[in-house]
Amino acid sequence: MTCFSCFVGKGPVRASQEVDEEVSSIQNVRIFSYKELRAATQDFSPDCKIGEGGFGSVYKGTLKGGEAAAIKVLSAESRQGVREFLTEINVISDIEHENLVKLHGCCVEGAHRILVYGYLENNSLDKTLLGSNDNNIQFNWKVRTNICIGVARGLAYLHEEVRPHIVHRDIKASNILLDNNINPKISDFGLAKLLPPNMTHVSTRVAGTIGYLAPEYAVRGQLTRKADIYSFGVLLLEIVSGRNNRSSKLLHEEQYLLEKTWELHERGELAELIDSSLNGDYSVDEGCRFLKIGLLCTQDSPKLRPAMSSVVKMLSGKISVDEEKITKPGLISDFMDLKVRGPPKAIDMKTSSSSGSSALSPLNNTSLTSGSTTSYPSMTVTGISERSN
């Protein structure tokens, strides 16, 4: 290995030794050489490229044993030094859950930062349920409930069982992958921000997807587990309705799924939102219950959103949904119109796609819009020091 910029002043030999020591301390993932991954992807051929996101490009590769892999090459813009990279790898190498994508290996050679995951043939929810569904998966109500509960369990594990707690920051349909049995697995938590146990939130550069972003995160940069819960609530509405959180093909008043859901809830007509392609083969009461849970998760005040462990119990029918606790959600139209004063700081926001968007990889970080680009007002991310419950 060569000298890394984060070891400036220590000399090449000492730097290499320290990196070797840190790499050798990683027990649960395989360390790949850059040469191996080049061979697996035909020298990172464009033909093997299956997606590109804010953190880098993803390639489908074939490892020496014939195993297919999703190989994520982090971009230089990720600005991760070797220590930070290996620290995160050490944290996530121990994480194993049936509803989380498993990290199999990494490469930290020279300036290269590469993650290696298992490849899932059934792709992501936004390519299947919300997209063209080239896999011809039958998303009946039983399959959808299994996906909703599985994602909730995976997120509850990250939020409440992993130490330190992990906030995903970008829960969305393209980050929910499906295995051969159509079981959901959350991807892209390998670069998530970690919450130290003595903190309830951190302020950070906003990274996420418009449509899924909680208002307090999008406007103030305030990141808590409750921001993930908001995103999950939007995803839940998408799964039940079978439509993307925003569709420019619809009339203006119909475009935003969360706004439409709230409107129907106030009228007592939530059943209208359940995907018509189910052809009535579902429980109306259960479908409406899932939609109400989505509204609970997307409430404007983070304090009112339930913990993910409670969401799992509500989805599973182990505890009831208290409809009286449902208040108006944090609607995208409310915070997009805000006039934020002062020079905007760097922000990393992606616009959510409508159905029929361009191809997305199993480990993609962005949704790419088809057609015209949507403009959003400048938003300033401010430092917040007080704690949030």
Side-chain angles (χ1 to χ4, degrees):
M1 294 186 181
T2 58
C3 178
F4 295 88
S5 60
C6 57
F7 292 100
V8 172
K10 294 189 176 182
V13 175
R14 184 179 173 189
S16 180
Q17 289 175 343
E18 292 190 19
V19 173
D20 287 340
E21 289 174 3
E22 293 208 33
V23 169
S24 64
S25 69
I26 300 175
Q27 302 295 322
N28 300 318
V29 296
R30 176 180 170 185
I31 305 300
F32 290 89
S33 70
Y34 185 64
K35 182 179 180 181
E36 284 181 281
L37 299 184
R38 281 184 62 183
T41 58
Q42 301 174 42
D43 199 11
F44 299 100
S45 166
D47 293 336
C48 296
K49 191 172 183 179
I50 54 178
E52 185 169 3
F55 289 111
S57 300
V58 186
Y59 298 82
K60 181 180 179 181
T62 304
L63 304 177
K64 282 184 178 179
E67 181 185 3
I71 298 171
K72 183 165 193 171
V73 182
L74 302 186
S75 66
E77 286 73 20
S78 64
R79 298 178 181 176
Q80 274 202 325
V82 64
R83 283 193 183 280
E84 181 183 3
F85 179 77
L86 290 174
T87 296
E88 292 193 4
I89 293 299
N90 262 322
V91 170
I92 66 173
S93 64
D94 286 331
I95 296 176
E96 190 160 0
H97 187 277
E98 62 180 339
N99 297 119
L100 299 175
V101 172
K102 178 64 178 174
L103 176 69
H104 292 310
C106 69
C107 172
V108 54
E109 186 176 315
H112 304 296
R113 307 286 183 272
I114 304 174
L115 303 176
V116 180
Y117 297 88
Y119 181 79
L120 298 180
E121 294 287 347
N122 279 326
N123 221 298
S124 59
L125 273 182
D126 79 319
K127 285 282 288 180
T128 51
L129 175 61
L130 304 179
S132 59
N133 197 4
D134 294 332
N135 303 66
N136 294 316
I137 298 171
Q138 298 301 312
F139 285 101
N140 57 41
W141 183 246
K142 183 178 180 180
V143 168
R144 295 189 200 212
T145 57
N146 179 65
I147 291 172
C148 293
I149 294 171
V151 175
R153 284 176 175 160
L155 199 51
Y157 182 78
L158 291 176
H159 282 190
E160 302 172 30
E161 297 185 46
V162 174
R163 293 292 184 274
H165 303 310
I166 289 180
V167 178
H168 188 287
R169 296 200 303 166
D170 203 13
I171 291 294
K172 59 182 178 180
S174 62
N175 278 334
I176 308 302
L177 311 186
L178 303 173
D179 67 12
N180 290 334
N181 296 315
I182 323 299
N183 293 315
K185 295 183 181 291
I186 301 172
S187 72
D188 251 5
F189 62 89
L191 299 179
K193 292 294 182 183
L194 304 181
L195 275 185
N198 63 335
M199 293 181 63
T200 54
H201 82 265
V202 294
S203 293
T204 182
R205 185 170 183 262
V206 175
T209 306
I210 284 290
Y212 295 95
L213 279 177
E216 75 278 0
Y217 183 32
V219 177
R220 301 191 300 274
Q222 183 177 336
L223 176 64
T224 71
R225 284 169 279 184
K226 294 301 180 77
D228 274 354
I229 294 167
Y230 180 99
S231 300
F232 174 80
V234 175
L235 176 67
L236 187 56
L237 301 181
E238 291 182 314
I239 295 171
V240 175
S241 67
R243 56 163 282 192
N244 196 275
N245 67 76
R246 179 179 180 270
S247 177
S248 58
K249 297 178 181 179
L250 299 176
L251 296 174
H252 179 72
E253 59 272 17
E254 303 280 335
Q255 287 186 6
Y256 294 102
L257 178 58
L258 180 53
E259 295 189 18
K260 183 62 178 178
T261 305
W262 176 245
E263 176 190 329
L264 291 173
H265 171 69
E266 288 192 300
R267 299 204 315 244
E269 301 172 357
L270 271 180
E272 291 186 16
L273 203 62
I274 302 173
D275 195 347
S276 61
S277 71
L278 291 166
N279 296 317
D281 188 16
Y282 58 89
S283 164
V284 174
D285 288 342
E286 190 172 34
C288 290
R289 176 162 58 87
F290 275 40
L291 292 172
K292 290 171 185 175
I293 295 170
L295 287 173
L296 278 173
C297 291
T298 53
Q299 293 180 101
D300 187 56
S301 171
K303 295 180 180 180
L304 297 178
R305 300 171 202 157
M308 282 309 304
S309 56
S310 296
V311 172
V312 172
K313 292 176 182 178
M314 284 188 281
L315 290 171
S316 304
K318 295 180 180 178
I319 61 175
S320 60
V321 178
D322 189 347
E323 296 184 33
E324 294 183 0
K325 289 186 176 181
I326 299 176
T327 61
K328 182 181 178 182
L331 301 175
I332 187 172
S333 58
D334 291 342
F335 71 82
M336 280 175 61
D337 293 334
L338 290 177
K339 302 298 182 181
V340 183
R341 297 184 178 182
K345 296 181 181 178
I347 201 163
D348 181 16
M349 302 173 93
K350 297 100 179 179
T351 56
S352 64
S353 64
S354 58
S355 58
S357 61
S358 58
L360 296 164
S361 77
L363 300 171
N364 200 357
N365 286 348
T366 64
S367 296
L368 302 177
T369 56
S370 57
S372 60
T373 302
T374 305
S375 298
Y376 298 97
S378 298
M379 298 180 183
T380 301
V381 180
T382 58
I384 304 173
S385 58
E386 71 273 9
R387 293 187 175 186
S388 172
N389 294 323

